[in-house]
Amino acid sequence: MKISTQLCAVVAAATFAQNVLATSAGGRKNWVTSEKLQKDIKETELMRNLKRLDKIATDNGGNRAFGFPGYTASVDFIVERARRFSREVNYWVQDFPALFNEVETISFRVDDEEIYVYGLTYSPSTTPEGVDKPLVLGPVGDAGCTVDGYADFDVKDKIVLIQRHRCPTGGTLAGRIRPAKLAGASNVIIYNNDPSFVTGGTLSAPDPEGFVSSGFINQDDGERLVARLQAGEEIIAHFQQTQIIEERITQNVIVETKGGDPKNVIFLGAHLDSVQAGPGINDDGSGTSLILELLSAIKKYDVKNKVRFAWWAAEENGLLGSKYYVSQLNTTETNNILAYLNFDMVSRGYYGVFDGDGSEFGLAGAPGSDVIEKLFSENLIAAGHNVTPSALDGGSDYVPFMDILHKPIGGLFTGVGIEEDACYHQACDTYENANATVLTTNAKAAAHVLATLAMRGTELIPKNVTLARRFEGEGSTQWTVVDHGHGHSHTCGHDV
C-alpha cells in the first residue's frame, strides 16, 4: 500500500480547502465536511438497521436472498427510508430479469455415508433418482483445466473428484467442470482447496451443453476420499441433484442527492441480497446499513458533486444487479460517474481497504483509485487501526465499474476467512454476528472519504471520459489470485 509524497500533499490540500469551503454560504444548507459527516454517523442507527434486516430474514424463511420474500421485504425497507428523505433525494427502483436458482434436493453418498455437498449455482440436475457410479480422481493443478490434461485418465461415465483450482483461463469451478465433461465424465465433485466450510459457489450462468451436474464439498472430506483412491480402493458413489433455474424479476434500489454536479457523480454501492443459507447480516447487511446511514447524514448538507447510492440485487448469483445497471448506461451517463465506492462485508474482521494502487497485489484500479485507497487508509490509521490491503479479485460489485466502465474504484472489506467471519454464508450470519465497533469505525471512514470526494473529488480524481461505449457483457481484467481471507472471490459473486 504505497503512498507517494505528492499524493499526501494533494490530499492535505484538499482537506484544508474543504475546511475553508465549510464556512462558505451553501444556500439553505451548509457544505458537507468530513468532521460533520463523521459526527452524524451513530452506532445505534447502524445496528438498528441490522436488527431490522435480521427480523426481515426471520420473518421470511431465514434469508433475504434474490427470488425469495425476504429480498422483497429488504427492498421495501430501503424504499421506505428513501421516501422519508424525498425532499432531499430522488430515488427509483430498477426492475430487471435475472436467473434464479434453488437446489431442491442434493445428495452425495459414499458407503452409506452422507457427505455434505453444496449444489453449485446454475449446475444442471441429475435424474430424480441420481447416479451410482465409480468415483475417480481427475488431474491436479492446471492439467485439470483442459481436456488434454485428461489424456491419461479413464473418466468416461464416472464421477470425477477434483480439487478447486484457479485455471489460467479464469474461474475455479466452471474451469474444472468443462474439461471433465469433454473427457466423458458423468458428474464432477469439486473439493475445496482451503479449510473453510463450503457455503457457496456459482458457475456464473447455465450451460447445459458445457456442464454436467456437479457439487462442491469440504476440503477434509475431499482429501479423505483422495487418500482412499490413491491407495487403490475402488469407490462407488451416489450423487443426486435437482435444481430449479428460471428467470425472475428483481430490483436494484437507486437513491441520489438532488444537489451536486450531475456531471461528476460519486457513486456508493452495497449488495442488498443474502445467500439462501442465512440472513446475511455481515454479508451484506453491514454494507447496506453503512451506505444507508451515509445517505441519512449527507442529505442534510450541500455537496459540490452529486452523490448516488445503490443497493444491488442478486450479487450472490453473480453480481447480476450491478452488471445490469452498468449495461443500461449510455455514454453520457457513463461519463458522469467520477468514482465508485463498494462496501461488502464491513462489520467484523480486519480493517481492509482495496489495493487501489496495486502495490500489494499487482492489480491496480483506474487512476484515482490510489487516491481513494489513501483517503480510507489514512483515516483508519489516524484512528489507531491497522489497515489490511484487500485484493481486487473480482468478487464484488465494483467489478463492472472497474472492468467495463474503467472507473476509479475503492472501498472497504473485512475478510471472509474463518478468523474474520466463521459464519460467512451460513445461518449464523445474524445480528449477533456483527461487531458494532468495526461497523461504526468503517462507517466513519466511509463518511470521511465521501465528504472529501463530494466536495473535492474533481480535484483529486482524474475524470475518465469515453467517446462511445457499448456493453459487451464482460471486460478483460485478469483478477488477482489471493490467499484465503484477503479477497472476496472464493465463494461469493461469480464463478469462483
Side-chain angles (χ1 to χ4, degrees), residues 447-464:
H448 167 67
V449 175
L450 174 57
T452 302
L453 296 181
M455 295 302 295
R456 312 297 298 178
T458 54
E459 298 179 21
L460 291 168
I461 305 292
K463 192 67 177 284
N464 181 335

Side-chain angles (χ1 to χ4, degrees), residues 19-33:
N19 290 335
V20 173
L21 279 169
T23 64
S24 303
R28 64 183 180 85
K29 299 179 183 178
N30 292 323
W31 293 116
V32 70
T33 69

Side-chain angles (χ1 to χ4, degrees), residues 178-232:
R178 293 184 189 280
K181 174 169 185 180
L182 290 173
S186 165
N187 305 91
V188 177
I189 298 295
I190 300 173
Y191 67 97
N192 206 0
N193 61 345
D194 68 53
S196 61
F197 186 75
V198 169
T199 56
T202 169
L203 303 179
S204 296
D207 185 359
E209 300 303 316
F211 297 142
V212 291
S213 188
S214 301
F216 192 16
I217 66 174
N218 290 317
Q219 183 182 50
D220 57 346
D221 290 324
E223 290 179 344
R224 234 179 354 108
L225 293 171
V226 168
R228 290 175 61 182
L229 291 168
Q230 288 178 337

Side-chain angles (χ1 to χ4, degrees), residues 268-279:
L268 298 86
H271 73 86
L272 185 56
D273 62 315
S274 73
V275 292
Q276 294 178 21

Side-chain angles (χ1 to χ4, degrees), residues 99-106 118-128 201-206 211-216 239-246 276 317:
L99 279 176
F100 168 84
N101 87 294
E102 181 179 9
V103 177
E104 288 194 318
T105 62
I106 191 166
Y118 180 88
L120 293 168
T121 302
Y122 305 133
S123 168
S125 298
T126 65
T127 60
T202 169
L203 303 179
S204 296
F211 297 142
V212 291
S213 188
S214 301
F216 192 16
F239 180 62
Q240 191 281 331
Q241 177 174 206
T242 301
Q243 186 167 155
I244 297 172
I245 301 173
E246 61 186 22
Q276 294 178 21
N317 291 68

Side-chain angles (χ1 to χ4, degrees), residues 267-271 284 312 340-344 346 354 376 396-399 409-413 488:
F267 208 138
L268 298 86
H271 73 86
D284 184 33
W312 303 120
Y340 176 78
L341 309 179
N342 198 69
F343 303 93
D344 189 355
V346 290
F354 286 142
F376 275 118
S396 193
D397 288 302
Y398 62 84
V399 166
I409 60 94
L412 301 175
F413 169 64
H488 193 204

Side-chain angles (χ1 to χ4, degrees), residues 219-300:
Q219 183 182 50
D220 57 346
D221 290 324
E223 290 179 344
R224 234 179 354 108
L225 293 171
V226 168
R228 290 175 61 182
L229 291 168
Q230 288 178 337
E233 186 174 349
E234 294 184 359
I235 297 175
I236 300 297
H238 172 81
F239 180 62
Q240 191 281 331
Q241 177 174 206
T242 301
Q243 186 167 155
I244 297 172
I245 301 173
E246 61 186 22
E247 186 176 274
R248 294 189 181 181
I249 301 300
T250 190
Q251 299 82 29
N252 293 322
V253 183
I254 315 295
V255 184
E256 67 179 18
T257 57
K258 289 184 176 179
D261 182 0
K263 294 184 178 180
N264 289 290
V265 177
I266 309 302
F267 208 138
L268 298 86
H271 73 86
L272 185 56
D273 62 315
S274 73
V275 292
Q276 294 178 21
I281 298 306
N282 184 41
D283 184 15
D284 184 33
S286 61
T288 287
S289 179
L290 184 153
I291 67 171
L292 188 57
E293 287 312 301
L294 289 179
L295 168 65
S296 300
I298 204 166
K299 67 180 177 59
K300 302 187 297 186

Side-chain angles (χ1 to χ4, degrees), residues 29 38 128 189 215 266 280 306 423 468 485 491:
K29 299 179 183 178
Q38 289 189 69
I189 298 295
I266 309 302
K306 185 175 288 295
C423 287
T491 54

